[in-house]
């Protein structure tokens, strides 16, 4: 069997393209390490109030409480929760908020949008969350009435598929106020 020069050229180009698409600095593990380091630096250099903290080394999600309510009302998977939130990048650029005044102050106001607390059922069983994983995971650590900052690596946020206004693989910050927990079927 004779190999045609066109086939050799095709195989050569495919192997070059395959290897050129892999950026060793952008592997999932490398991105995770970079994000966790950036989040730790942000927390260290921040002047945010820290009355309590939770850091999950497996997910990289950090929760820093500004106010602890001691309400004893915890979230169970399947509960419907409501929260006011402000989403930011690690450079403190606000990309979203449920609060109209914050949206206006950061030039992201949309007159077609209703500025109300985000309300959603938490994930349960095989039903995935309707929000990004790190956001829900951080909120589940809170009690009703808590105010906290949730910091998450890009893998727990939008990763390499962000909406407009958020860079690829960007760690995210969410300032949240948990204002309602409505018991779901598991409660």
């Amino acid at each position: 069997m004779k190999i045609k020069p066109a086939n050799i050229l095709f195989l050569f180009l495919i192997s070059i393209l395959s290897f050129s698409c892999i950026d060793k600095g952008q592997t999932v593990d490398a991105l995770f390490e970079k994000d966790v380091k950036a989040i730790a630096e942000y927390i260290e250099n921040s002047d945010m109030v820290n009355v309590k903290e939770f850091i999950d080394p497996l997910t990289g999600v950090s929760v820093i409480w500004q106010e602890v309510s001691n309400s004893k009302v915890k979230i169970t998977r399947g509960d419907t929760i409501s929260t006011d939130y402000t989403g930011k990048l690690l450079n403190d650029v606000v990309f979203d908020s449920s609060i109209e005044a914050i949206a206006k102050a950061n030039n992201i106001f949309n007159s077609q949008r209703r500025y109300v607390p985000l309300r959603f059922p938490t994930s349960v069983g095989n039903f995935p969350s309707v929000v990004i994983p790190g956001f829900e995971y951080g909120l589940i650590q809170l009690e009703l009435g808590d105010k906290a900052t949730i910091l998450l690596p890009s893998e727990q946020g939008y990763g390499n598929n962000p909406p407009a206004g958020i860079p690829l693989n960007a760690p995210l910050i969410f300032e949240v106020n948990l204002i309602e927990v409505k018991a779901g079927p598991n409660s």
Side-chain angles (χ1 to χ4, degrees):
M1 180 170 138
K2 203 172 194 184
I3 299 177
K4 296 180 181 177
N7 289 345
I8 293 173
L9 180 61
F10 177 74
L11 291 173
F12 177 72
L13 288 174
I14 291 296
S15 34
I16 287 176
L17 288 173
S18 296
F19 287 109
S20 67
C21 291
I22 299 171
D23 179 359
K24 293 185 190 318
Q26 295 297 320
T27 64
V28 173
D29 291 340
L31 277 172
F32 180 77
E33 288 177 29
K34 183 182 95 183
D35 289 352
V36 168
K37 182 180 177 188
I39 289 168
E41 288 174 5
Y42 180 89
I43 292 170
E44 184 178 317
N45 295 322
S46 169
D47 60 355
M48 80 174 106
V49 174
N50 180 346
V51 296
K52 178 181 168 183
E53 69 181 41
F54 166 82
I55 299 172
D56 183 345
L58 295 177
T59 64
V61 173
S62 298
V63 181
I64 310 296
W65 279 258
Q66 282 73 58
E67 292 181 26
V68 177
S69 68
N70 292 315
S71 69
K72 307 291 188 241
V73 178
K74 296 183 183 275
I75 300 168
T76 302
R77 295 227 180 247
D79 290 350
T80 297
I81 60 176
S82 294
T83 183
D84 268 323
Y85 72 93
T86 298
K88 303 188 306 185
L89 303 173
L90 288 184
N91 62 4
D92 288 324
V93 170
V94 174
F95 61 82
D96 193 15
S97 182
S98 64
I99 304 165
E100 185 174 334
I102 291 175
K104 285 180 176 178
N106 288 279
N107 297 316
I108 58 168
F109 177 74
N110 179 347
S111 63
Q112 304 301 309
R113 176 181 173 177
R114 287 185 48 217
Y115 287 90
V116 296
L118 176 63
R119 181 183 170 105
F120 66 96
T122 57
S123 61
V124 64
N126 293 328
F127 298 101
S129 180
V130 296
V131 296
I132 57 176
F135 183 72
E136 179 177 301
Y137 183 69
L139 281 166
I140 286 175
Q141 309 310 312
L142 307 181
E143 292 180 0
L144 177 64
D146 286 358
K147 292 182 180 180
T149 301
I150 302 168
L151 302 99
L152 48 128
S154 58
E155 161 182 350
Q156 292 293 318
Y158 295 107
N160 61 6
N161 191 24
I166 300 176
L168 285 172
N169 299 314
L172 303 174
I173 302 167
F174 289 95
E175 296 170 349
V176 297
N177 177 9
L178 184 59
I179 56 178
E180 182 184 29
V181 177
K182 183 178 176 198
N186 296 335
S187 296

